[in-house]
């Protein structure tokens, strides 16, 4: 009996050792399973102390934890310093920061990836929908007003018969959204308060026109399209908090306005931008980026822009590959922006490819310098075998590679048909070559076939030499063996943080 009580006492002490910081549980390898046992529904952030995105998330994450705790919810939030708790990071396949996973019913296996925004209300809403019914039932005016007041966006179905066919369809549509609260009511007082005379579905929001009423055939697809088209502002500012909503949505065409928030004509430019946006709701996202913010300078660089060149407009598509478009006019008026977007939707625009001017001494060094304007004639010269490094000046891995690449250039500088070259891909773009990470190494063998061979082998002089001497057949490793840790860079969220969110030294730097 004494032994039994000692075990129980030790268990109590152990549970007490799960520390909290601002209502967030501090989790480690030693207390992780115990936390799952004590708190069956727990959201866990795997972070790095130096990560910019993690620092930006921290106050919102703590605020969400406090909201749930104050409500008496059983849902808890926890955090793991993945740079210290490396075993946990590896166990849960943490490959970047922050990584956020939801553990439901105390189960450690197959946690759900968090997929909503990074503001407190987004986190709370997502968790409540994951642990409760997809559609809440509102009893009266007070509950309805609270739901609308507490959320940036909410959707309410007004149904006299909550078991009707349309109501059931509404419930199915609600299940598709993790980050927006859905509710329904049949209360006459609520109908009267919100001036609803018949069964309706209304999206309430704290921006633009304030509310949108669904109009059309009630199908799951139509309801989902209605919510997706109206849940974001006509013009949304790009920040850490809004990035997941921007890039997690179904709209993959984005028009970006780079504009200093402190400029005297800021409001006029925003008004013109918003006016143009009205005609493209659901087709193109209109995004404003403050060009004065230091963290946004990498984004400007990505588009070949400088602060002094702003305001400026660019349009991108985020399908399989990112494609950029630039308006012919620098005018920022509703008419000019509308015309630009109309040409895009009609398929009448050509992609905008950046290029520097050709340096006068581009071929004097052992490593030839390529830009957009001379790439075609050099890389696809049918008499030459051309090995190109696509790099970024700020990329740490590129800086590490530079001495070896110079040695390779020196080795082949007098070779009659081998050229070693490099291209700064932050200011030069090629239609035939999509660069997703730095450094990217590609080989363009001699001949008229315009072949492009990826080099994915070890980045050392011997491997490069073997690769070149074999005509790209040996030493480069087949594309299928490329390191799984290489990361795509298809969205601006990766660019916003000047510090890489990656933590594996073998990774390429993100674009």
């Amino acid at each position: 009996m004494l032994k039994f009580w000692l075990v129980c006492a030790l268990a109590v002490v152990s549970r007490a050792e799960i520390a909290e910081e601002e209502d967030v549980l501090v989790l480690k390898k030693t207390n992780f399973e115990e936390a799952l046992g004590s708190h069956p529904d727990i959201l866990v952030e795997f972070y790095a102390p130096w990560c910019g995105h993690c620092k930006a998330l921290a106050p919102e994450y703590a605020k969400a934890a406090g909201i749930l705790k104050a409500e008496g919810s059983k849902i808890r939030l926890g955090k793991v310093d993945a740079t210290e708790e490396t075993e946990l990071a590896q166990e849960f396949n943490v490959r970047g920061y922050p990584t956020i996973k939801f553990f439901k019913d105390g189960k450690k296996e197959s946690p759900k990836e968090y997929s909503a925004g990074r503001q407190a209300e987004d986190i709370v809403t997502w968790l409540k929908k994951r642990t409760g019914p997809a559609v809440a039932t509102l009893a009266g005016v007070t509950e309805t007003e609270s739901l609308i007041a507490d959320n940036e966006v909410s959707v309410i179905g007004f149904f006299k018969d909550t078991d009707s066919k349309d109501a059931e369809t509404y419930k199915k549509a609600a299940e598709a959204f993790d980050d927006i609260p859905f509710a329904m009511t049949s209360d006459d007082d609520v109908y009267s308060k919100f001036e609803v005379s018949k069964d309706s579905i209304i999206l309430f929001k704290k921006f633009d026109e304030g509310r949108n009423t669904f109009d059309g055939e009630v199908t799951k697809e139509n309801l989902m399209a209605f919510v997706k088209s109206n849940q974001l502002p006509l013009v949304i500012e790009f920040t850490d908090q809004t990035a997941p909503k921007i890039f997690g949505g179904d709209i993959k065409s984005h028009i970006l306005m780079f504009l200093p928030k402190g400029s005297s004509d800021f409001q006029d430019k925003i008004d013109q931008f918003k006016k143009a946006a009205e005609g493209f709701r659901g087709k193109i996202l209109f995004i404003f980026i403050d060009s004065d913010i230091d963290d946004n300078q990498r984004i400007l660089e990505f588009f070949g822009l400088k602060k002094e060149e702003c305001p400026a407009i660019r349009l991108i598509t985020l399908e399989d590959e990112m494609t950029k478009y630039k308006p012919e006019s620098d005018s920022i008026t509703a008419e000019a922006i509308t015309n630009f977007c109309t040409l895009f939707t009609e398929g009448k625009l050509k992609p905008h490819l950046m290029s520097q001017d050709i340096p006068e001494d581009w071929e004097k060094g052992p490593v030839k310098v390529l830009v957009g304007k001379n790439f075609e004639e050099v890389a696809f010269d049918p008499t030459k075998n051309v090995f190109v490094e696509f790099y970024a000046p700020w990329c740490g891995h590129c800086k590490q590679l530079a001495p070896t690449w110079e040695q390779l250039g020196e080795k082949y500088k007098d070779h009659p048909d081998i050229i070693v070259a490099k291209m700064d891909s932050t200011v030069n773009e090629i239609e035939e070559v999509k660069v997703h990470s730095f450094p990217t190494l590609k080989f363009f063998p001699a001949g008229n076939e315009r072949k492009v061979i990826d080099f994915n082998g070890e980045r050392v002089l011997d491997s490069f030499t073997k690769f070149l001497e074999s005509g790209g057949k040996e030493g480069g490793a087949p594309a299928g063996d490329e390191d799984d840790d290489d990361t795509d860079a298809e969205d601006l969220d990766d660019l916003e943080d000047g510090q890489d969110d990656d933590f594996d030294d073998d990774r390429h730097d993100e674009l």
Side-chain angles (χ1 to χ4, degrees), residues 138-149 154 156-158 185 187-198 200-205 210-211 213:
L138 301 172
V141 172
T142 301
E143 280 191 17
T144 307
E145 289 180 328
S146 295
L147 177 75
I148 295 170
S154 55
I156 299 176
F158 294 79
T185 183
D187 189 287
D188 290 338
D189 291 339
V190 180
Y191 270 70
S192 177
K193 174 67 178 178
F194 293 95
E195 300 178 341
V196 177
S197 58
K198 61 180 182 178
S200 302
I201 297 167
I202 301 176
L203 182 145
F204 295 89
K205 55 191 181 183
R211 62 190 272 181
T213 301

Side-chain angles (χ1 to χ4, degrees), residues 14 17-18 26-35 85 88:
S14 178
E17 288 177 354
I18 301 180
V26 179
L27 303 180
K28 302 176 182 293
K29 174 73 173 176
T30 53
N31 65 14
F32 197 86
E33 293 199 22
E34 185 176 313
E85 302 296 325
L88 281 178

Side-chain angles (χ1 to χ4, degrees), residues 17 50 92 100 113 115 229 247 252 271 360 364 462 483:
E17 288 177 354
W50 45 258
F92 295 110
I100 308 173
E113 293 284 343
S115 58
S229 295
F247 299 109
K252 300 303 182 184
D271 290 343
E360 291 183 6
K364 289 184 178 179
D462 286 346
D483 190 347

Side-chain angles (χ1 to χ4, degrees), residues 43-304:
L43 186 71
V44 180
E45 176 204 7
F46 295 85
Y47 73 97
W50 45 258
C51 165
H53 293 305
C54 301
K55 292 176 183 177
L57 173 63
E60 294 296 322
Y61 197 72
K63 183 180 176 181
I67 291 171
L68 292 169
K69 195 173 182 180
E71 292 178 353
S73 173
K74 293 182 179 180
I75 307 168
R76 295 302 305 271
L77 272 64
K79 62 181 181 180
V80 174
D81 182 345
T83 65
E84 293 288 337
E85 302 296 325
T86 54
E87 287 186 42
L88 281 178
Q90 185 174 0
E91 180 178 356
F92 295 110
N93 198 31
V94 176
R95 310 180 79 83
Y97 303 122
T99 290
I100 308 173
K101 295 177 181 282
F102 180 54
F103 297 81
K104 185 173 174 59
D105 298 329
K107 295 178 180 177
K108 198 176 180 182
E109 302 75 22
S110 303
K112 176 71 177 179
E113 293 284 343
Y114 175 75
S115 58
R118 293 181 182 177
Q119 293 180 305
E121 65 180 31
D122 298 322
I123 297 169
V124 171
T125 298
W126 189 90
L127 287 168
K128 286 182 176 180
K129 292 202 73 172
R130 283 287 163 190
T131 55
V135 178
T137 300
L138 301 172
V141 172
T142 301
E143 280 191 17
T144 307
E145 289 180 328
S146 295
L147 177 75
I148 295 170
D150 292 345
N151 294 280
E152 189 80 2
V153 177
S154 55
V155 184
I156 299 176
F158 294 79
F159 298 103
K160 288 299 184 182
D161 179 4
T162 56
D163 293 321
S164 66
K165 180 182 177 182
D166 284 354
E168 292 300 320
T169 302
Y170 173 74
K171 293 173 186 175
K172 291 178 181 177
E175 292 172 355
F177 293 89
D178 291 327
D179 55 346
I180 299 175
F182 281 66
M184 65 166 52
T185 183
S186 57
D187 189 287
D188 290 338
D189 291 339
V190 180
Y191 270 70
S192 177
K193 174 67 178 178
F194 293 95
E195 300 178 341
V196 177
S197 58
K198 61 180 182 178
D199 284 5
S200 302
I201 297 167
I202 301 176
L203 182 145
F204 295 89
K205 55 191 181 183
K206 294 180 179 178
F207 48 83
D208 296 342
E209 61 271 46
R211 62 190 272 181
N212 304 101
T213 301
F214 175 77
D215 181 21
E217 182 184 359
V218 180
T219 66
K220 179 181 177 180
E221 291 72 25
N222 288 346
L223 288 176
M224 288 175 63
F226 163 72
V227 174
K228 289 176 180 179
S229 295
N230 293 287
Q231 67 176 325
L232 293 176
L234 276 171
V235 173
I236 182 169
E237 182 175 358
F238 179 74
T239 65
D240 265 340
Q241 287 70 39
T242 61
K245 294 181 180 180
I246 291 171
F247 299 109
D250 290 340
I251 301 174
K252 300 303 182 184
S253 299
H254 302 166
I255 186 169
L256 316 173
M257 179 169 69
F258 298 88
L259 175 68
K261 215 169 190 176
S263 62
S264 58
D265 59 349
F266 171 78
Q267 194 55 52
D268 176 63
K269 292 287 192 296
I270 286 290
D271 290 343
Q272 293 292 317
F273 200 51
K274 184 177 288 188
K275 185 176 180 181
E278 293 173 358
F280 299 93
R281 188 191 290 274
K283 298 177 182 177
I284 301 174
L285 280 188
F286 279 62
I287 301 166
F288 150 66
I289 298 175
D290 187 349
S291 56
D292 271 348
I293 293 179
D294 290 340
D295 284 347
N296 290 339
Q297 297 314 300
R298 284 272 295 280
I299 306 175
L300 267 72
E301 180 183 317
F302 180 68
F303 287 93

